[in-house]
Amino acid sequence: MVTLGVRRWETLADSVQGVNKRRNQDWYECQGTGSGEDPLVLAVADGHGSAAHARSELGARFAVDRFVGLAARFGRAAHDCHEPGRLARLMTYARDDFPRALVHEWRQAALGHWDRHRPVVEEASREPDPQEKLVLYGTTLIGAVLTPWLFVAWQLGDGDLAVVEHDGSLSRPLAPAEEDLGDETESLCGREAWRSMRMHWAPVFEEARNPRLVVLSTDGLSKSFASADGYRAFVAGLAGRLDDEGSPGVRSALPEWLAQASRYSGDDTTLAAALRSAHDAGEDAPEDASESVRVAVDEESVAGAGDPAARTEERKTET
């Protein structure tokens, strides 16, 4: 029997531009409350940024915007997922149809932008084919939707989804079996991108078993650590500090933490997170939370030094 109460979530998110980068290629969004009528949707995207992907900052925005719209509709459709057979149908849609719909909408957005903003070329120049146009907008994407009864996430390409469960355990449910080498990664501009999208499916049969913390981040954060263990320690420390101090202090410190990570990785760095507070959940914070903070959110846990990188200017709008 599914508990029909609504859990309150807090969100925090920020993005910093990579050192020596001309512009921030990342984009993010947090939207909704987490109720059945207003699902909480989180998304981060990382435009590839090379010369071959000259419009990827727009591709990242298109990816996030289209994901948010589709995921919100999916979350509202999950309102009655406790009905017999409903959950299985939703899972099939999330696994098979949602990725196709997302890739289709992203491609339509990118090709539509191309048509409205064609580069000035010589009259005799060959018109690029659709796939060549899409490459200009190449981007990764991680997105999640949370309702009182369901937590679903999707990922295409690099970056990280980290989940601190109700019992304090930490997982990276969408981490690939083998990490991508160098800067090579799957992309929304791939010819059959929907086939490469990974999904995390987690029905919530008891309200108290909702995740405590969900963190989405671009690879500028995880690349700032020497190993995956460093990234996991950062997330554990983030959870501990949120439990101890609440979100206001963490929210104010987040830009500098990301700037530190960016100075070390050299990449744009973005994080979006949703917190279900221990107070609202009627739970006690984990006993070792303060120790986690000392280990993982200490300045030394994110390598790098020097002046903080300038925070990204107001996020770009389509022109």
Side-chain angles (χ1 to χ4, degrees):
M1 180 73 177
V2 175
T3 305
L4 299 181
V6 174
R7 179 66 61 197
R8 289 191 301 168
W9 293 89
E10 294 181 77
T11 59
L12 59 154
D14 214 312
S15 181
V16 299
Q17 184 170 313
V19 178
N20 298 323
K21 291 291 186 76
R22 190 163 59 92
R23 63 170 64 92
N24 191 340
Q25 303 284 338
D26 288 358
W27 199 264
Y28 68 89
E29 188 63 79
C30 305
Q31 187 178 105
T33 63
S35 70
E37 297 77 15
D38 186 29
L40 174 60
V41 180
L42 310 172
V44 299
D46 180 1
H48 301 327
S50 66
H53 308 285
R55 299 185 180 187
S56 62
E57 77 279 6
L58 289 169
R61 176 181 176 173
F62 298 154
V64 168
D65 289 351
R66 272 56 186 181
F67 177 87
V68 167
L70 284 169
R73 290 196 291 275
F74 173 82
R76 289 191 293 270
H79 189 278
D80 298 321
C81 67
H82 54 286
E83 294 180 354
R86 179 70 167 168
L87 197 61
R89 292 193 295 273
L90 285 167
M91 183 178 69
T92 299
Y93 176 84
R95 183 192 63 207
D96 300 331
D97 298 326
F98 187 94
R100 287 180 177 271
L102 176 61
V103 171
H104 173 75
E105 290 206 6
W106 178 83
R107 289 184 174 189
Q108 293 298 107
L111 293 175
H113 184 270
W114 168 273
D115 288 339
R116 296 189 301 274
H117 302 275
R118 292 172 176 268
V120 177
V121 296
E122 296 181 6
E123 188 172 336
S125 297
R126 180 183 66 86
E127 171 80 1
D129 65 35
Q131 186 60 37
E132 290 173 317
K133 297 172 186 177
L134 291 171
V135 167
L136 293 170
Y137 298 86
T139 182
T140 66
L141 176 71
I142 309 173
V145 57
L146 296 111
T147 80
W149 314 278
L150 190 61
F151 166 39
V152 190
W154 296 263
Q155 180 169 352
L156 180 65
D158 54 27
D160 294 274
L161 170 74
V163 181
V164 178
E165 301 290 357
H166 68 283
D167 60 1
S169 62
L170 192 154
S171 64
R172 295 173 60 216
L174 293 177
E178 295 184 6
E179 301 290 345
D180 293 323
L181 298 177
D183 294 326
E184 294 296 322
T185 188
E186 299 289 349
S187 172
L188 272 169
C189 69
R191 291 186 180 276
E192 294 186 316
W194 62 87
R195 296 184 184 277
S196 301
M197 194 168 291
R198 309 188 292 279
M199 181 188 75
H200 174 58
W201 176 263
V204 180
F205 296 104
E206 296 178 20
E207 195 174 29
R209 297 178 71 85
N210 260 302
R212 180 174 293 162
L213 177 68
V214 177
V215 180
L216 286 64
S217 57
T218 58
D219 69 333
L221 179 59
S222 56
K223 287 194 305 186
S224 69
F225 300 99
S227 69
D229 289 341
Y231 174 78
R232 292 172 66 92
F234 174 87
V235 174
L238 178 65
R241 186 156 177 171
L242 285 164
D243 281 340
D244 282 355
E245 302 177 11
S247 61
V250 173
R251 187 174 287 110
S252 65
L254 183 61
E256 175 54 25
W257 294 346
L258 298 183
Q260 270 190 292
S262 180
R263 286 195 293 271
Y264 189 75
S265 69
D267 201 359
D268 305 327
T269 303
T270 300
L271 180 147
L275 165 71
R276 181 175 63 94
S277 71
H279 174 74
D280 287 339
E283 301 164 356
D284 294 326
E287 294 181 1
D288 61 347
S290 60
E291 181 65 22
S292 296
V293 174
R294 286 194 294 272
V295 171
V297 189
D298 186 276
E299 287 188 357
E300 293 181 0
S301 70
V302 181
D307 295 331
R311 188 173 176 220
T312 305
E313 297 177 359
E314 182 179 353
R315 292 191 289 168
K316 295 181 180 293
T317 56
E318 178 184 345
T319 57

